[in-house]
Amino acid sequence: MFRKVLIANRGEIALRVINACRELGIRTVAIYSEADRNSLHVRFADEAICIGPPRPADSYLNVPAVISAAEIANVDAIHPGYGLLSENANFAEVCRASNIKFIGPPPEVTRLMGEKEKARQAMKKAKVPILPGSDGVVDSEEDAQEWAQRVGFPVILKAKAGGGGRGMRIVRTAEELPNLYHAASTEAANAFGNGELYMEKFIERPRHIEFQVLADEHGDVRTLFERECSIQRRHQKLIEEAPSLQVTPKIREEIDATLRRCLTEIGYQNAGTVEFLMDEDRQIYFIEMNTRIQVEHPVTEFITGIDLVKAQLRIASGERLSDILPAKLEMRGHAIECRINAENPVKFTPSAGRITAFNVPGGNGVRVDTAQYAEGVVPPYYDSLIAKLIVHGDTREEAMNKMQRALSQFVVQGIETSIPLHQAIFEDENFRKGEFDTKFMERFLAARQ
Ligand code: MV4
């Protein structure tokens, strides 16, 4: 096992990784920006190194600064958390060249999955169901028209280098295709430095369902069931749960068998998430793969009893999945996560500043992942996520009731948070019945006006 690990992140996920290391007897090195001097990840790590000014580009995203800190502290490995450098293949390559183990997949695999159209073709080749669409990128407006005729409107144009919904356009008729093609391509070029697009059949009211995977460095791949992530606004997830009410044991077994074969073939390693869309006929289609630990990993930890971050560390140090996971994984109960953001719950404007009072709920089946504390400061430079509230019950109904109890005891004063929004969602009849898709929040917010 590693002797010492640097955590190239901040906030709750930095603390989450520190906790896993501490429990495995690994020394930890925090890095921090000038804005995070008083953060808990700095206080709870064995060592901490300031790597630059507040702006992410000057600190957490500054590869030479991160690598210098790792070399000065003489670490064996770097855990990137989520966001920031976690899916940056160049960073993983620099780690490799510096003889530091990057805790994640090899850079070649990260690069493949980052090119969404290549990932799609790789999945297709391995018989993972994908949506009808272009074979590779569409390289002109004329090419796009041809594919759209073949696939049938509505279609969706997506950026090859994309993510987060940028460079995406829904096209409903041949007439509007030229304008939307150029708009998507220009937006993608500005956002990602690459304007290449591909095309898929558009699903009107999809559900977003993702499968958690773990792969060791000896060719063994296992899935740890699915998460339902349809409750989101502007491509930011708000609530995630596991299992999904829509996924039958048969679907679960089929996806498991297909992904094990496919990801072994690709040479996948460490933790990853495979994203699917499910249509109204419960058909499920691959859309993209995330090559990192995700924000919502605790819901999977609750229903499986597996510590995914410890599993990442053990896999990266060469251990076999057969020594990390039980022979047969059991799925137990139902888990739900609410993302608590520092923002106005109605206007969604960011709310930075000093937290004056902070009470975290607890009790059976309640988990709070946060790096915040009373008198702490939420800086304006970073993601607005300040806490994750995760609950586990025997049934979805019990989990929802537990969440409502926990939300009512979660006190944050001094800044605004999304807690009141979550409370309103948990009173919604359709949400409670599990009747929702990725358009749920749009309808919910429109009805509140
Ligand atoms: C789609 C889609 C409908 N049809 N693809 C949005 C972000 C990107 N990761 C994929 N996205 C979508 N792709 C086809 N062929 C609808 C979305 C989509 C969406 C997907 C998951 C969760 C929330 C979403 C919100 C709007 C659109």
Side-chain angles (χ1 to χ4, degrees):
M1 181 43 79
F2 304 118
R3 183 184 43 88
K4 201 178 193 186
V5 169
L6 180 139
I7 296 97
N9 216 300
R10 65 180 299 283
E12 68 87 18
I13 193 62
L15 206 45
R16 170 74 186 84
V17 177
I18 288 170
N19 293 346
C21 289
R22 177 64 52 91
E23 292 172 24
L24 288 173
I26 304 168
R27 285 185 60 83
T28 53
V29 180
I31 55 171
Y32 63 97
S33 74
E34 286 161 12
D36 282 337
R37 209 168 275 287
N38 297 317
S39 295
L40 285 193
H41 79 283
V42 173
R43 192 173 319 177
F44 289 148
D46 295 307
E47 296 169 44
I49 301 174
C50 182
I51 56 159
R55 290 203 340 254
D58 300 329
S59 50
Y60 299 106
L61 290 173
N62 180 343
V63 172
V66 175
I67 296 289
S68 299
E71 285 180 334
I72 289 165
N74 192 22
V75 300
D76 313 309
I78 296 182
H79 194 301
Y82 52 68
L84 299 176
L85 297 170
S86 62
E87 295 184 283
N88 184 322
N90 295 337
F91 176 66
E93 262 168 3
V94 177
C95 288
R96 184 189 272 169
S98 311
N99 266 321
I100 299 164
K101 178 76 179 179
F102 174 82
I103 299 170
E108 298 75 20
V109 177
T110 300
R111 195 163 281 130
L112 169 72
M113 294 305 174
E115 297 185 56
K116 308 296 171 186
E117 177 44 35
K118 281 203 184 140
R120 191 174 121 87
Q121 295 305 325
M123 293 290 169
K124 182 182 179 184
K125 196 170 145 233
K127 303 261 165 15
V128 180
I130 60 165
L131 285 154
S134 60
D135 268 338
V137 294
V138 291
D139 43 33
S140 65
E141 188 192 307
E142 293 71 34
D143 196 22
Q145 283 290 13
E146 235 176 87
W147 279 114
Q149 296 301 331
R150 212 180 300 182
V151 170
F153 289 100
V155 297
I156 183 167
L157 290 164
K158 295 185 178 182
K160 171 185 166 157
R166 275 191 298 181
M168 257 176 41
R169 289 292 185 284
I170 301 157
V171 188
R172 298 190 178 277
T173 65
E175 292 67 52
E176 63 181 23
L177 187 140
N179 280 340
L180 293 173
Y181 177 86
H182 292 286
S185 182
T186 305
E187 191 174 304
N190 287 332
F192 314 113
N194 182 331
E196 288 181 286
L197 304 175
Y198 65 101
M199 183 183 289
E200 281 175 356
K201 179 82 187 166
F202 178 66
I203 304 187
E204 293 286 355
R205 289 164 168 265
R207 283 177 170 260
H208 176 136
I209 291 165
E210 56 186 35
F211 279 76
Q212 175 69 52
V213 303
L214 285 177
D216 68 20
E217 301 187 352
H218 311 278
D220 196 9
V221 178
R222 302 275 299 270
T223 71
L224 292 91
F225 314 115
E226 77 284 357
R227 296 183 286 259
E228 156 74 62
C229 306
S230 298
I231 307 294
Q232 54 79 40
R233 176 187 167 272
R234 297 201 181 164
H235 306 294
Q236 294 286 67
K237 294 168 186 166
L238 288 167
I239 299 172
E240 303 96 345
E241 59 183 277
S244 163
L245 296 179
Q246 307 304 316
V247 174
T248 59
K250 180 164 170 279
I251 297 173
R252 204 169 280 132
E253 277 161 33
E254 282 173 8
I255 296 291
D256 171 67
T258 312
L259 288 181
R260 286 170 78 160
R261 186 168 30 74
C262 169
L263 294 175
T264 302
E265 211 172 293
I266 286 170
Y268 198 81
Q269 288 177 8
N270 218 278
T273 298
V274 186
E275 293 188 5
F276 293 87
L277 294 183
M278 182 186 267
D279 68 14
E280 273 120 320
D281 303 326
R282 280 209 189 154
Q283 292 300 307
I284 184 163
Y285 307 94
F286 168 83
I287 50 167
E288 48 191 84
M289 178 162 193
N290 302 314
T291 56
R292 58 167 193 275
I293 191 79
Q294 288 195 251
V295 174
E296 59 271 30
H297 75 274
V299 297
T300 299
E301 296 187 320
F302 257 148
I303 65 158
T304 60
I306 303 298
D307 185 315
L308 289 168
V309 178
K310 278 187 192 167
Q312 285 192 289
L313 291 156
R314 293 176 64 181
I315 287 168
S317 74
E319 282 191 53
R320 289 178 181 276
L321 268 188
S322 56
D323 293 328
I324 298 171
L325 301 177
K328 176 140 182 54
L329 272 175
E330 304 286 345
M331 195 166 73
R332 230 214 86 214
H334 199 98
I336 313 178
E337 170 177 280
C338 284
R339 294 191 187 192
I340 314 293
N341 293 327
E343 65 190 14
N344 179 287
V346 176
K347 296 181 197 148
F348 299 97
T349 47
S351 179
R354 186 173 296 277
I355 293 176
T356 53
F358 199 69
N359 180 66
V360 161
N364 193 284
V366 175
R367 166 176 172 181
V368 178
D369 279 17
T370 185
Q372 291 303 331
Y373 56 94
E375 299 302 320
V377 169
V378 179
Y381 310 101
Y382 312 110
D383 191 274
S384 64
L385 183 79
I386 55 159
K388 306 188 303 205
L389 172 55
I390 314 105
V391 300
H392 187 217
D394 289 338
T395 62
R396 186 168 186 269
E397 182 65 27
E398 191 189 33
M400 289 191 295
N401 293 339
K402 204 178 280 270
M403 182 64 85
Q404 287 184 294
R405 183 275 286 176
L407 283 166
S408 75
Q409 297 172 342
F410 205 141
V411 179
V412 184
Q413 280 169 15
I415 59 164
E416 294 180 298
T417 77
S418 47
I419 291 171
L421 175 69
H422 285 298
Q423 287 177 305
I425 296 171
F426 275 80
E427 281 172 13
D428 184 273
E429 207 182 312
N430 291 320
F431 174 78
R432 292 201 77 94
K433 284 191 288 194
E435 287 173 6
F436 51 75
D437 53 53
T438 54
K439 293 255 170 75
F440 173 86
M441 282 308 293
E442 245 174 83
R443 292 190 294 271
F444 176 84
L445 293 172
R448 278 213 317 178
Q449 290 305 303

